[in-house]
Every structure is written in C-alpha cells, then in structure tokens.
Amino acid sequence: MNKQIAVLPGDGIGPEVTAVAVKVLKKVAEKFNHNFTFEEGLVGAIAIDETGNPFPDETLQLCQSADAILFGAIGHPKYDNDPSAPVRPEQGLLAMRKALGLYANIRPVATFKSLAGASPLKPEIIAGVDFVVFRELTGGSYFGKKGRSEDRESAYDTCTYTKDEILRITKLAFEAASKRRKKVTLVDKANVMETSRLWREVVQQYATDFPDIELELMFVDNAAMALIQNPSRFDVILTENMFGDILTDEASVITGSLGMLPSASVGSKVALYEPIHGSYPQAAGLNIANPMAAVLSAATLLETSFDLWEEGKAIRAAVEACLDKGLVTKDINPQDYLSTSEVGEQLCNFI
Ligand code: IPM
Ligand code: MG
C-alpha cells in the first residue's frame, strides 16, 4: 500500500515521541511491504518562531494532500505566562481543527493490566474500565464570538452550537456505541446552559431511532464525580468541546498513565492522530518522555485511516510486550527505565 503521512511534531516532547512513532511506522512498512512516505510540517510555537504563524498555509496544504496526519503536541511556557501575546501556539491547533473539519475528537480510555498499580484510584475501582469519549472539537466556546469591551474591563466567550454540529458527532457516538456495550452518556449542563438544552433535544431525538442503545443524560459536574467514583459505568461519553477538554484530562489519569493514551480527530477527508498528553515542556529534549501514546496513535492511524488492522495489531502487541517486560520510560517505572528512543528500538525489535 502506498500512503503519504503528514508528520507535525510540534512543540515540547512532540518531536521526540513523534520520531519514535515514525520509526515504528517505518518498521511496520518494511515488515508488511508497504510504502509510507513521511513529510514534516510546522505547527505551534515552533511555527511561530520560524514563520510568525502557528499554522502556516504550507502546513495546511501538506495536511490536505496527505492520507493521514500524525501530530505531536502544541504549546510553550513562554506563551502560557503571557496573556497579552498577540499570537499563541494553541491558535494553530484550533485553526488546524477548523480548516481540516476535524469535528470529533475520539479518546479511548482502557486499563493496561500491567499498569493497574500506577492509577491513583483503587484497583477495584479501575477494574474493567473501558470507555471512549467523543468530544466535539470545532464548536462551542472555543470558536464562538469572543472579545473585550471597549474599556477592556470585561471579556466574553460565546458558546454557540447548531443542530447540525451536534447531530454529526452524535451519529459517530451512536455508531461506536452500537459496536460496543450500547450505551451513550450525554454530558452537559442543561440545568444552566441553552446550548446544553439544544444538545439534549438533538441527541434525544436521534436516539429514538436506536431503541437498543441506552441514552443516559448527565450533568458535567456529576460526570466529573462519577468518572472517579465509578468509571466502569461509562461506555461512550458524548459531549461538547470545553466539557470534553476537561473530562478527557480527568479520564486520562484513571488508568494511571497519561503517557499511554492515543486519540483520533476525525471529520472530513483526512484524520489526525495524536497522543493526548500535550507538550510537557519540562521534559522536552531530555529523551525521557513516554512515546507509547504517540505509537498507539500511529496504530490507530493504520487501523482507522488505512484499514490496516494486522499492522495495527502488531504495534499494539509490541507495546504490550514492552509493558510486560518492563521496557518502559521513567513515568511508568521511576526505578528502572529506558529512554524514549530506547523504548522505540525495543518496539521495533518486537515488531
Ligand atoms: C487538547 C488541548 C487543547 C484543547 C489546547 C492545547 C488548545 O488541551 O487537545 O485537549 O484545549 O483542545
Ligand atoms: Mg485538553
């Protein structure tokens, strides 16, 4: 199979973990006789440094002509502490999501047996956790009208949703639920927000065509609590952009390993795959970051965008093998660990 993959390493640990994912993909190509070509593009703080634009046109074109996108991370501390910065790396990420029509961010959360001890939650609480979050990615307060009053004494971010925006991700969530345990939990704040009441209206209406799928309605504050108290009650969580951002960070630590979780952003033609851990600037350049989430994102890319399930399985098996043999980075085992690139070599050996 001939495929072109756009690689956007981005900021912080993005380049290190993405390099491992690319190495693993090359190994897979060699073993399974595929021809993957990789072309790198700039996004984020590094793109601002080099071009002044966090999502340059060249990168957009690269993404549009690719068969799939592998993305690292975005963000730099020099912008986090400067609210007056005129251009911010995160704008590049939002522009990219919007321009590529990536309206659904899919984040699966499941426990790895060998990592059960690493969760901050009790083993009996995390046993059997297996859910997936469908976060809306191109609407809500991230993209609504925002600004300052003329005297700059007040500010606003508007949360807006259309029925169509809600419906298209609802379809994806129900489709996923029909292949899983047949339960969708819509997370919102319908006791306060009008947009949430629109979500309920659209999702409840859509659900009437799927009598075999249970629809549960839950307020976001309650969901934040339930994720810790009883995470195994969830199957598919469907939610808007900001709630999804917050809950997926919470969800990511349930399994004890933020460094293990991949995600896919889908919508229009080309999909984007990224680890959910972000840029982790404190670890940048130290060769200590956990590359597994990026590698598992690459596996998801092969499966979802290229329909290469055997190949995806080979990567997943290599990840399991490393975990079982303790060939892991410092975040997983601070006493006995390998570097980022050494884990990459081990993964390739197993493949
Ligand atoms: C994420 C990140 C981004 C978001 C930031 C970096 C803008 O937190 O992908 O979850 O809020 O969507
Ligand atoms: Mg986030």
Side-chain angles (χ1 to χ4, degrees):
M1 187 181 274
N2 290 321
K3 291 286 181 192
Q4 204 208 322
I5 301 173
V7 180
L8 312 181
D11 304 322
I13 58 170
E16 292 156 75
V17 298
T18 309
V20 173
V22 169
K23 192 179 159 95
V24 165
L25 284 170
K26 284 183 175 161
K27 189 76 198 175
V28 166
E30 184 191 313
K31 181 170 155 90
F32 291 86
N33 245 326
H34 298 301
N35 180 23
F36 300 151
T37 51
F38 301 88
E39 213 173 316
E40 284 204 8
L42 292 170
V43 70
I46 181 160
I48 300 178
D49 291 346
E50 294 194 20
T51 71
N53 179 350
F55 185 54
D57 285 347
E58 227 172 75
T59 305
L60 172 61
Q61 277 158 25
L62 173 71
C63 292
Q64 281 169 335
S65 64
D67 298 303
I69 307 164
L70 190 65
F71 170 57
I74 234 170
H76 193 285
K78 75 180 171 198
Y79 297 96
D80 296 343
N81 303 325
D82 177 13
S84 66
V87 208
R88 314 179 60 78
E90 288 78 6
Q91 288 166 341
L93 184 56
L94 301 193
M96 178 162 75
R97 288 172 180 168
K98 199 67 168 182
L100 298 172
L102 304 171
Y103 63 79
N105 181 234
I106 305 167
R107 296 186 172 184
V109 176
T111 37
F112 288 88
K113 267 191 227 84
S114 47
L115 296 183
S119 172
L121 302 181
K122 294 186 189 117
E124 62 268 29
I125 289 184
I126 61 158
V129 168
D130 179 10
F131 63 88
V132 52
V133 182
F134 279 71
R135 166 190 174 193
E136 202 289 329
L137 206 57
T138 52
S141 55
Y142 275 61
F143 291 92
K145 198 164 180 277
K146 53 184 74 220
R148 286 282 183 102
S149 62
E150 242 167 65
D151 64 5
R152 303 196 61 76
E153 290 294 310
S154 69
Y156 58 93
D157 296 278
T158 322
C159 184
T160 315
Y161 269 108
T162 65
K163 285 187 172 179
D164 282 348
E165 284 172 329
I166 298 168
L167 189 59
R168 60 189 183 180
I169 186 169
T170 300
K171 287 180 183 168
L172 297 184
F174 273 72
E175 202 179 294
S178 72
K179 294 181 198 145
R180 296 175 47 99
R181 300 195 310 279
K182 301 195 166 38
K183 178 176 170 187
V184 173
T185 305
L186 172 63
V187 172
D188 63 26
K189 191 72 187 172
N191 49 349
V192 176
M193 296 179 73
E194 194 58 36
T195 40
S196 288
R197 288 190 281 273
L198 186 67
W199 271 82
R200 281 203 180 191
E201 191 183 312
V202 172
V203 176
Q204 279 181 303
Q205 172 65 38
Y206 186 76
T208 56
D209 288 338
F210 298 86
D212 61 324
I213 294 183
E214 180 197 347
L215 174 64
E216 176 183 46
L217 306 170
M218 194 181 271
F219 296 142
V220 62
D221 46 350
N222 186 15
M225 185 174 76
L227 272 173
I228 298 299
Q229 238 169 10
N230 186 11
S232 58
R233 73 195 302 290
F234 294 108
D235 180 21
V236 173
I237 294 178
L238 168 63
T239 193
E240 65 97 53
N241 202 343
M242 174 78 83
F243 297 156
D245 178 46
I246 298 166
L247 292 180
T248 49
D249 260 30
E250 184 188 358
S252 70
V253 295
I254 291 173
T255 59
S257 47
L258 180 56
M260 297 295 306
L261 298 181
S263 86
S265 296
V266 306
S268 58
K269 201 179 120 262
V270 60
L272 177 147
Y273 302 85
E274 65 175 297
I276 81 154
H277 48 58
S279 60
Y280 190 19
Q282 301 84 343
L286 301 179
N287 202 16
I288 58 168
N290 188 342
M292 296 301 197
V295 169
L296 290 169
S297 298
T300 314
L301 180 158
L302 294 180
E303 295 161 349
T304 320
S305 279
F306 302 167
D307 213 18
L308 295 176
W309 294 88
E310 274 307 302
E311 290 79 345
K313 218 159 101 188
I315 296 181
R316 291 178 194 280
V319 169
E320 290 280 357
C322 279
L323 293 179
D324 288 345
K325 296 197 163 41
L327 304 168
V328 294
T329 41
K330 203 174 167 182
D331 52 309
I332 306 255
N333 186 352
Q335 271 80 48
D336 185 11
Y337 55 87
L338 299 182
S339 69
T340 309
S341 47
E342 283 167 344
V343 169
E345 278 151 33
Q346 295 295 340
L347 286 166
C348 288
N349 288 342
F350 283 120
I351 290 167

